[in-house]
Amino acid sequence: MEIKSIGKCRYCNKTFSSKVMTTHLKSCDKMKSMQEVEVRKEDIFLIRAGGGPFFVYFEVKANSTLEDVDEFLRDLWLECCGHLSSFKINDETYYSECEDNEPEDKTMNYKLFTVLEVNTTFSHEYDFGTPTYLNLKVMQKRKGSLKKIYVVARNDIPDFKCNCGKKAEDICPQCICTGEESLLCIKCANKHECMSEEEMLPIVNSPRMGMCGYTGED
């Protein structure tokens, strides 16, 4: 069953589906009017990141680094145990810095404008053992001013259902890895056989939910 994914534009507070949000952000009058008063001194990228029913649109200065975006994605969606991560852009891989980096490895200290342009599609991988994959795309570029990465739109937490039809509250990490039914209501979690309710992970608004020890934010 396809999970509906909707989110709110933070400029006009209107709600749209994931598919419609891209079109809306290109024509949002409130967004345009607020951007027009900014000092137009630097390039800013609008980037979409997504994984499953989860999505976020964010603006970031083009002279920021891949590491800045990696830290943003970790803080928003991913960080659980300090795992390594990487971006893949045009068949090149850029790794988070660590003592195991090889001399020929490219790291995330590249400025965005040197590796990205409008319509560039790329990917992000967090945790090479139990990985979470994200797809990203540069939607547009504009002139303006920005102090930090700004979330323009983000999905609301989907209405996940247990197999019995009730609202899912927990997720079984073991079942999600084997492809079995893993979303459970409180009653079904109490009867679940492969893990106790105390070992379950919470349903959270992140593509990392159910992986490793990720608990995120409710």
Side-chain angles (χ1 to χ4, degrees):
M1 180 179 67
E2 183 178 358
I3 299 172
K4 293 182 179 179
S5 183
I6 61 172
K8 183 177 292 185
C9 170
R10 293 197 174 180
Y11 284 99
C12 68
N13 289 320
K14 293 181 180 179
T15 298
F16 301 93
S17 69
S18 173
K19 295 179 180 179
V20 176
M21 186 64 77
T22 296
T23 302
H24 166 72
L25 292 178
K26 291 180 179 179
S27 59
C28 177
D29 292 334
K30 187 71 172 178
M31 180 177 178
K32 289 180 180 179
S33 64
M34 293 181 70
Q35 291 175 350
E36 284 173 358
V37 302
E38 294 179 349
V39 178
R40 297 177 176 274
K41 62 181 181 180
E42 56 191 351
D43 288 333
I44 295 172
F45 285 136
L46 174 65
I47 297 177
R48 183 193 189 281
F54 307 95
F55 68 85
V56 62
Y57 291 77
F58 60 94
E59 288 195 317
V60 57
K61 293 185 289 187
N63 66 354
S64 299
T65 64
L66 289 171
E67 184 178 14
D68 293 328
V69 177
D70 178 64
E71 289 180 358
F72 166 76
L73 294 172
R74 286 169 177 264
D75 290 343
L76 181 76
W77 269 349
L78 303 171
E79 191 64 86
C80 62
C81 304
H83 297 291
L84 299 177
S85 57
S86 67
F87 286 99
K88 190 165 186 178
I89 306 170
N90 296 326
D91 295 325
E92 292 281 359
T93 302
Y94 302 82
Y95 296 95
S96 50
E97 292 194 47
C98 70
E99 60 184 16
D100 294 328
N101 288 137
E102 298 293 338
E104 66 273 15
D105 287 344
K106 292 187 175 181
T107 61
M108 295 183 186
N109 59 2
Y110 282 78
K111 299 282 189 179
L112 299 184
F113 71 86
T114 66
V115 293
L116 299 176
E117 58 186 23
V118 176
N119 293 325
T120 299
T121 57
F122 57 114
S123 62
H124 181 271
E125 180 180 355
Y126 174 81
D127 182 3
F128 304 145
T130 52
T132 297
Y133 299 100
L134 303 176
N135 297 311
L136 300 96
K137 182 177 181 179
V138 182
M139 309 306 299
Q140 57 189 38
K141 182 174 73 172
R142 69 178 181 88
K143 289 285 187 180
S145 57
L146 198 66
K147 291 183 179 180
K148 61 180 181 179
I149 296 178
Y150 179 72
V151 174
V152 175
R154 182 186 178 186
N155 72 282
D156 299 331
I157 187 165
D159 184 21
F160 291 111
K161 298 292 187 183
C162 176
N163 203 38
C164 72
K166 295 181 180 179
K167 179 179 177 62
E169 301 282 353
D170 296 301
I171 185 167
C172 175
Q174 184 170 319
C175 289
I176 197 173
C177 291
T178 59
E180 298 178 45
E181 184 60 42
S182 59
L183 303 176
L184 303 163
C185 68
I186 294 176
K187 185 177 180 180
C188 291
N190 286 328
K191 299 185 296 182
H192 199 61
E193 294 183 354
C194 65
M195 300 190 82
S196 68
E197 187 180 7
E198 290 74 23
E199 295 174 302
M200 300 285 181
L201 290 172
I203 300 283
V204 292
N205 196 11
S206 164
R208 184 70 176 161
M209 73 172 192
M211 305 299 289
C212 194
Y214 187 79
T215 57
E217 295 181 358
D218 293 337

